[in-house]
Amino acid sequence: MEIGSGQNSSAVDPELKAFITNLVSALGGPDLAQAHKPYKLGDDAMACLRDIKRWIKGYDERMDRWDVARAISETSLVTFDLVEILTKWELEHQGASSGGNRPSRHMDRIALACLELLVPLTWPLELNRTTSTNNHYKHAPYLNAARIRYKKAIMNHPQKAVLRAILRLAIPVLRTDVRARTIRDEGILKLVVFFFRNILAIDPPEAQLYDVNNDVSRVNTVMAFQEQSVLDFLNMLASGMGKDFVGQDTAVLECLFYMLRGIEATELYSEVSGEVRKNPANSSLEELLDQEKELKKKNHMNSSSRHSRFGTMVSVNFQNEGRYTVSGQTALNNTTSSLDKLDQNKKWRKRSNPKKGKGV
């Protein structure tokens, strides 16, 4: 049997699998009455999402089994339903910014419920000889294959809006002052960061890790994160860690680890002629700052101060040309200004030639 095909009926209890399948079917599906067949939620979509969450927490996590996760992997919950719901919600928000109708609060809660399912379903699997059971070893290969399918569905959705939808769930929390955030707000922010960590932790086989033609390779993952502003989000969290964000430090570090592991530091920070290569934008900014600094220095030198009320005079005696005098503090700034002041005070006088004596 092919791993992840879901043909082994004895892998999961049939009654449990029937419960999960019925919940996924009642969640929603394509509207065949319309031409482009958009996704349409069922009447009790929110209740279905909550029931699936209860199955994961009450059965898998409580009994330390992976049966519910295996049953979900044999359905289209993640690869179709959840990504379509999040994409639809994100597109409605984008349309609202252009003058359309904003999604209802009910849809906001449904989107958050989708995230609450995606995080445990994409969580990294760990097998330990001392704590793992036969149930874990039996389901691990199938769940690893399913996680790759999940990542492929999330990254390669035609609308490219799933990651943006996850980011939008964190926007209300980011707008709230850190002192006014509730436990629920911190929980939502943790879910968002953990989801991105989980996506980065899902790697294809080692031979396809850096293959750009592979849909879930690390290269394509980083490019998708860049395209949908996830890297900017992680950079913002890292820059405000310890001040604006407290409980997300470990998850952000894990994201950086999964993005950069195996990459030499010389590839990240290259040197040219013994000097670190500078970003042209940063160089231009440094030049402008230096120009501003010089301009402020000149203005400060020529500006008046409380001491400018006192008189200042410098007098220079020359043996043959008499005395030259300059006054004012501006004449004492430097040699050039002093000489300019002397030149300004000079007055040209026409010399009178003595009459030549007439001969007798």
Side-chain angles (χ1 to χ4, degrees):
M1 183 192 69
E2 183 183 358
I3 292 179
S5 61
Q7 300 297 326
N8 189 359
S9 59
S10 61
V12 182
D13 182 18
E15 187 176 357
L16 170 63
K17 185 177 180 180
F19 275 118
I20 299 299
T21 303
N22 290 336
L23 290 173
V24 174
S25 300
L27 180 59
D31 188 359
L32 302 179
Q34 299 188 25
H36 56 287
K37 300 178 182 179
Y39 188 87
K40 185 176 181 180
L41 288 171
D43 295 335
D44 296 328
M46 190 65 188
C48 293
L49 293 173
R50 288 176 176 173
D51 287 344
I52 296 174
K53 180 182 176 181
R54 291 192 188 100
W55 273 106
I56 294 175
K57 288 186 172 294
Y59 193 92
D60 276 8
E61 295 182 6
R62 184 177 179 182
M63 301 179 63
D64 194 19
R65 299 175 65 89
W66 291 346
D67 292 337
V68 176
R70 174 68 183 278
I72 291 175
S73 69
E74 297 175 359
T75 66
S76 62
L77 176 66
V78 178
T79 57
F80 178 70
D81 293 272
L82 297 186
V83 294
E84 289 295 334
I85 293 172
L86 290 172
T87 299
K88 179 181 178 181
W89 178 72
E90 171 63 19
L91 295 179
E92 288 179 355
H93 269 284
Q94 294 180 6
S97 61
S98 303
N101 296 327
R102 186 187 182 281
S104 62
R105 295 293 298 274
H106 179 66
M107 279 300 302
D108 294 345
R109 290 192 291 268
I110 288 179
L112 180 59
C114 293
L115 176 62
E116 292 176 345
L117 290 180
L118 284 174
V119 171
L121 292 176
T122 58
W123 198 270
L125 301 178
E126 296 181 0
L127 293 176
N128 191 305
R129 291 184 177 181
T130 58
T131 58
S132 297
T133 63
N134 292 333
N135 180 272
H136 295 163
Y137 282 101
K138 179 177 67 174
H139 295 312
Y142 299 92
L143 293 181
N144 282 325
R147 289 166 68 246
I148 294 178
R149 296 200 309 271
Y150 297 163
K151 182 176 180 179
K152 184 176 180 180
I154 293 170
M155 304 286 294
N156 299 323
H157 192 274
Q159 299 294 338
K160 305 292 183 183
V162 179
L163 299 179
R164 289 186 182 275
I166 301 299
L167 281 180
R168 190 175 294 277
L169 290 171
I171 290 178
V173 181
L174 299 177
R175 290 176 178 173
T176 307
D177 186 78
V178 61
R179 293 167 295 183
R181 291 175 190 165
T182 62
I183 298 177
R184 181 177 181 273
D185 294 335
E186 293 293 339
I188 293 174
L189 196 56
K190 283 185 178 180
L191 284 175
V192 172
V193 180
F194 279 138
F195 172 76
F196 294 137
R197 189 279 311 268
N198 296 348
I199 294 298
L200 289 170
I202 300 174
D203 277 338
E206 189 68 25
Q208 304 175 1
L209 187 59
Y210 301 100
D211 185 8
V212 294
N213 296 322
N214 189 355
D215 295 331
V216 294
S217 65
R218 188 186 302 181
V219 176
N220 290 332
T221 302
V222 174
M223 291 177 61
F225 275 32
Q226 173 68 26
E227 181 182 356
Q228 301 189 42
S229 303
V230 178
L231 294 183
D232 295 333
F233 171 74
L234 295 176
N235 187 22
M236 177 200 62
L237 291 181
S239 62
M241 199 61 64
K243 181 180 178 182
D244 297 326
F245 310 102
V246 180
Q248 297 79 27
D249 48 359
T250 305
V252 173
L253 286 175
E254 286 184 289
C255 292
L256 295 177
F257 167 75
Y258 286 118
M259 281 192 292
L260 302 177
R261 63 174 175 174
I263 300 177
E264 295 293 337
T266 54
E267 298 181 11
L268 299 176
Y269 303 97
S270 58
E271 296 185 0
V272 179
S273 301
E275 296 182 358
V276 179
R277 184 184 303 171
K278 294 183 178 180
N279 190 348
N282 295 339
S283 300
S284 301
L285 179 60
E286 290 178 359
E287 292 177 1
L288 292 175
L289 291 175
D290 292 339
Q291 293 177 7
E292 182 183 7
K293 185 177 180 180
E294 290 295 330
L295 183 60
K296 287 183 177 180
K297 184 178 179 180
K298 291 180 180 179
N299 292 335
H300 180 70
M301 291 174 61
N302 298 326
S303 62
S304 60
S305 64
R306 62 175 183 170
H307 299 289
S308 62
R309 296 192 299 267
F310 302 99
T312 302
M313 179 177 293
V314 176
S315 181
V316 181
N317 290 325
F318 292 92
Q319 185 175 2
N320 298 327
E321 299 182 6
R323 175 181 295 178
Y324 291 97
T325 303
V326 292
S327 61
Q329 288 189 347
T330 56
L332 303 180
N333 289 334
N334 49 53
T335 305
T336 303
S337 61
S338 300
L339 294 177
D340 291 340
K341 191 72 173 180
L342 284 173
D343 293 338
Q344 293 175 6
N345 292 338
K346 288 181 180 179
K347 294 182 180 180
W348 180 79
R349 296 178 182 178
K350 185 177 180 181
R351 297 180 62 181
S352 58
N353 295 328
K355 295 181 180 181
K356 296 181 179 180
K358 297 181 180 180
V360 179

